[in-house]
RNA sequence: GCGGUAGUGGCGAAGUGGUUAACGCACCGGAUUGUGGCUCCGGCACGCGUGGGUUCGAUUCCCACCUACCGCCCCA
């Protein structure tokens, strides 16, 4: 094989691309009903946009970014996630200005890049559908946005979803907890896994997330962040839980759940699926939360924010495993069969007229025999086949065959070019 | 970054240190000068992931690399 696609990338071919379109269209529809608008930001940003926002001790920044220096010696990175760029755009374009009604609600969909070892549901170039809401601290924003994510996944046919929430509290609460956690873990330092030792001082919350058994045993007795929430943080989290209850959205609280990105505070959540696609294990399809303070971190005014992102590859994996039926439209209205050069020429005008009339039409381009052309028409599921040979060209009349019934009728060219809709209906009615 | 498994035509899949690399599906052609299904006949890998090495000879043995899949790490 002369050329191969880069490791961890995929070609999304016809047959597969229709599924992507369906998922994307579903997202647009659902998001529209919540009054979100699309935003499109660059696929690469300055390095600082991510190191500032995602956190320079995060795994994403320390080892997973596709970064390089361009010909102007700018330090560029292919975006590893969507939020930072959207926040940058929000600030740079002053969407915080008074002429923009608050909250500003946007969604995006597109490729993200992380330098990782590919696995099922994890690619180096992968795709996310995400949303961001700027300008409101209200718990209703958290809850409605979570509800929208659930809504979307249900529209995609997903069953058995589990919503897990937690609160990281505001900056003060988080700082207090961070210290408490360090104080708790330090006596156990020698027993911790290597990774957790590394993280203890850089990002102790991540130790909570460790899958190492010994770490988990230690962490089991660690203080809970929920006990360190101050009054404001508690009030917010309580409101979130109440509103989820009002909407009858079931959820679990996992006080050990953290996020890989540093910018989160207050509510964080994940939506998980235990689909066969992941061997019955729970796998996260959607993750997000609140990120008050990120906009100011990127040079804008203090602005509360809330958002989520979901992995399209993972979503599609689940939909495949769960055999979700997608209404994919492959309909071909007309296939044109022509025998001989004169017929081919005549067909050109007819097929264009048919397409202009709003019908889907295909023909043969390989000079195949009539039989071969009919076989193709059949395989493409053409509803009607229009046949043309020398005699038809002479009489300026085409044969139209109803492929379902086998009935055939003759129609003058003039009628086909001027009113194909009527012709088509006549053929379909032919027994 | 670490560990494991694998890589033969468009797809699935057999196979061997040595003349022409099974078979199935798909596709193309013919039987049927211009009509879909079935059947029958015929065609379809100068090649066995890539590059080296061993050998008189390698798809088969050895090494490296690449890629995919699974797990770790982490995440969507």
């Amino acid at each position: 094989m002369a050329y191969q696609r880069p490791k961890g990338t995929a070609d999304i071919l016809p047959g597969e691309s229709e599924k992507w379109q369906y998922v994307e269209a579903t997202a647009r529809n659902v998001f529209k009903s919540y009054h979100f608008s699309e935003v499109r930001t660059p696929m690469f940003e300055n390095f600082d946009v991510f190191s500032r926002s995602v956190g320079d001790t995060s795994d994403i920044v320390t080892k997973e970014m596709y970064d390089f220096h361009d010909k102007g010696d700018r330090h560029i990175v292919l975006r590893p996630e969507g939020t930072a760029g959207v926040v940058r755009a929000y600030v740079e374009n002053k969407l915080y200005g008074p002429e923009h009604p608050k909250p500003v609600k946007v969604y995006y969909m597109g490729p993200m890049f992380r330098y990782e070892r590919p696995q099922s549901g994890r690619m180096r170039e992968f795709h996310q559908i995400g949303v961001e809401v700027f300008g409101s601290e209200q718990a209703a924003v958290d809850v409605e946005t979570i509800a929208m994510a659930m809504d979307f996944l249900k529209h995609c046919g997903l069953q058995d979803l589990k919503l897990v929430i937690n609160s990281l509290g505001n900056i003060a609460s988080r700082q207090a907890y961070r210290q408490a956690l360090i104080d708790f873990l330090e006596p156990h330092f020698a027993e911790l896994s290597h990774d957790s030792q590394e993280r203890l001082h850089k990002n102790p919350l991540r130790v909570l997330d460790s899958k190492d058994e010994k770490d988990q045993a230690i962490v089991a007795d660690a203080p809970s962040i929920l006990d360190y929430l101050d009054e404001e943080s508690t009030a917010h989290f309580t409101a979130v839980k109440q509103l989820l209850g009002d909407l009858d959205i079931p959820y679990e609280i996992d006080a050990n759940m953290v996020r890989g990105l540093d910018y989160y505070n207050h509510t964080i959540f994940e939506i998980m699926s235990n689909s066969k696609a992941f061997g019955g294990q729970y796998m996260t399809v959607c993750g997000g939360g609140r990120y008050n303070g990120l906009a100011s971190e990127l040079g804008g005014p203090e602005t509360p924010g809330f958002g989520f992102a979901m992995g399209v590859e993972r979503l599609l994996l689940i939909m495949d495993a769960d055999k979700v039926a997608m209404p994919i439209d492959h309909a071909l209205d007309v296939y044109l069969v022509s025998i001989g050069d004169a017929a081919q020429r005549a067909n050109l005008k007819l097929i264009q007229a048919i397409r202009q009339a709003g019908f889907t039409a295909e023909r043969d381009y390989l000079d195949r025999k009539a039989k071969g052309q009919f076989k193709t028409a059949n395989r493409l599921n053409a509803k009607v086949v229009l046949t043309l040979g020398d005699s038809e060209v002479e009489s300026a009349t085409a044969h139209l065959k109803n492929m379902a019934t086998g009935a055939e009728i003759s129609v003058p060219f003039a009628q086909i070019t001027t009113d194909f809709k009527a012709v088509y209906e006549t053929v379909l009615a032919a027994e």
Side-chain angles (χ1 to χ4, degrees):
Chain A
M1 215 134 358
Y3 296 103
Q4 296 181 313
R5 59 181 180 263
K7 186 186 182 90
T9 61
D11 298 313
I12 300 161
L13 303 173
E16 195 61 24
S17 58
E18 290 84 353
K19 299 177 186 172
W20 285 71
Q21 291 177 350
Y22 174 71
V23 165
E24 288 165 0
T26 303
R28 290 178 196 284
N29 281 335
V30 172
F31 297 168
K32 189 177 178 185
S33 66
Y34 286 79
H35 199 236
F36 278 71
S37 307
E38 183 174 7
V39 62
R40 301 193 188 197
T41 65
M43 257 136 65
F44 57 88
E45 296 274 355
N46 285 314
F47 178 87
D48 298 344
V49 170
F50 295 107
S51 62
R52 274 285 169 69
S53 60
V54 171
D56 32 19
T57 63
S58 68
D59 282 322
I60 286 181
V61 169
T62 55
K63 55 181 202 189
E64 292 174 1
M65 290 214 296
Y66 265 99
D67 66 322
F68 59 95
H69 290 268
D70 71 7
K71 291 180 202 289
D73 203 33
R74 286 172 279 260
H75 194 180
I76 299 295
V77 25
L78 302 184
R79 62 184 187 191
E81 60 102 40
T83 301
V86 173
V87 173
R88 191 229 81 228
Y90 175 83
V91 172
E92 179 171 349
N93 297 288
K94 299 184 169 62
L95 299 187
Y96 50 75
E99 70 273 39
H100 302 286
K102 301 297 172 303
V104 171
K105 297 157 76 171
V106 294
Y107 70 86
Y108 59 85
M109 45 187 75
M112 306 292 164
F113 306 85
R114 289 183 202 171
Y115 192 88
E116 305 185 272
R117 196 66 181 269
Q119 268 173 57
S120 110
R122 175 189 305 169
M123 304 290 285
R124 288 187 171 179
E125 180 184 27
F126 63 107
H127 297 77
Q128 288 189 330
I129 295 176
V131 315
E132 315 293 349
V133 181
F134 297 103
S136 168
E137 292 186 24
Q138 273 197 29
V141 167
D142 306 33
V143 170
E144 284 186 33
T145 308
I146 291 171
M148 182 171 81
M150 298 289 277
D151 223 358
F152 166 66
L153 294 173
K154 279 180 190 152
H155 273 85
C156 289
L158 267 54
Q159 317 275 332
D160 300 324
L161 296 172
K162 183 169 82 169
L163 170 64
V164 183
I165 63 170
N166 189 23
S167 174
L168 300 175
N170 57 20
I171 308 290
S173 301
R174 197 168 160 176
Q175 283 303 326
Y177 177 66
R178 183 191 149 96
Q179 195 52 53
L181 190 59
I182 290 175
D183 292 345
F184 171 82
L185 290 173
E186 261 178 339
H188 299 283
F189 186 81
E191 307 158 49
L192 290 171
S193 67
H194 180 72
D195 282 337
S196 292
Q197 290 180 347
E198 289 269 307
R199 288 178 187 131
L200 180 55
H201 290 282
K202 281 188 191 160
N203 195 343
L205 299 217
R206 290 276 306 285
V207 177
L208 297 175
D209 208 26
S210 172
K211 280 168 196 131
D212 183 278
E213 278 186 30
K214 282 174 73 182
D215 287 354
Q216 286 191 338
I218 295 167
V219 160
D221 298 321
S224 165
I225 191 164
L226 298 178
D227 295 330
Y228 283 79
L229 297 184
D230 63 16
E231 202 178 327
E232 181 217 338
S233 303
T234 305
H236 186 84
F237 195 45
T238 303
V240 167
K241 289 184 286 187
Q242 274 172 357
L243 295 175
L244 283 172
D246 288 352
L247 288 179
D248 293 320
I249 296 175
Y251 60 88
E252 288 176 21
I253 296 171
D254 178 358
N256 286 340
M257 181 172 76
V258 299
R259 309 259 67 215
L261 315 179
D262 289 354
Y263 50 65
Y264 286 107
N265 43 58
H266 286 292
T267 318
I268 57 174
F269 77 100
E270 290 186 7
I271 301 172
M272 310 175 89
S273 158
N274 63 350
S275 162
K276 294 191 283 296
F278 310 118
Q281 301 278 13
Y282 272 99
M283 174 71 105
T284 304
V285 276
C286 176
R290 184 160 277 284
Y291 48 81
N292 300 345
L294 181 54
S296 58
E297 191 68 32
L298 290 178
E302 183 62 42
T303 307
F306 190 94
F308 67 71
M310 41 190 123
V312 179
E313 282 82 358
R314 283 186 187 181
L315 177 55
L316 256 8
L317 227 44
I318 299 172
M319 292 169 75
D320 270 353
D322 293 0
K323 306 219 181 336
V324 174
M326 289 181 247
I328 286 164
D329 183 17
H330 278 303
L332 178 61
D333 297 321
V334 187
Y335 191 92
L336 287 83
V337 168
S338 54
I339 300 130
D341 293 341
Q344 276 230 37
R345 285 193 61 185
N347 248 345
L348 180 62
K349 283 187 179 174
L350 294 180
I351 196 169
Q352 286 302 81
I354 290 168
R355 288 167 175 161
Q356 243 94 82
F359 292 84
T360 54
E362 186 56 279
R363 51 164 282 205
D364 173 77
Y365 299 92
L366 301 172
D367 289 325
R368 290 190 305 168
K369 300 279 163 56
K371 176 175 178 153
Q373 296 187 44
F374 264 88
K375 278 174 91 164
T376 299
N378 197 45
R379 205 169 71 217
L380 296 179
N381 246 314
K383 304 234 177 23
V384 168
V385 168
L386 182 154
T387 313
L388 222 55
D390 290 339
S391 60
E392 287 87 348
V393 173
E394 249 171 69
S395 62
T397 309
H399 284 299
L400 281 96
K401 181 172 184 174
N402 177 331
M403 291 297 275
T405 66
E408 216 164 351
I409 60 172
S410 292
V411 180
F413 287 0
Q415 212 174 321
I416 291 168
T417 51
T418 54
D419 189 9
F420 188 73
K421 190 166 184 289
V423 173
Y424 188 74
E425 278 160 11
T426 308
V427 183
L428 283 193
E431 295 282 332

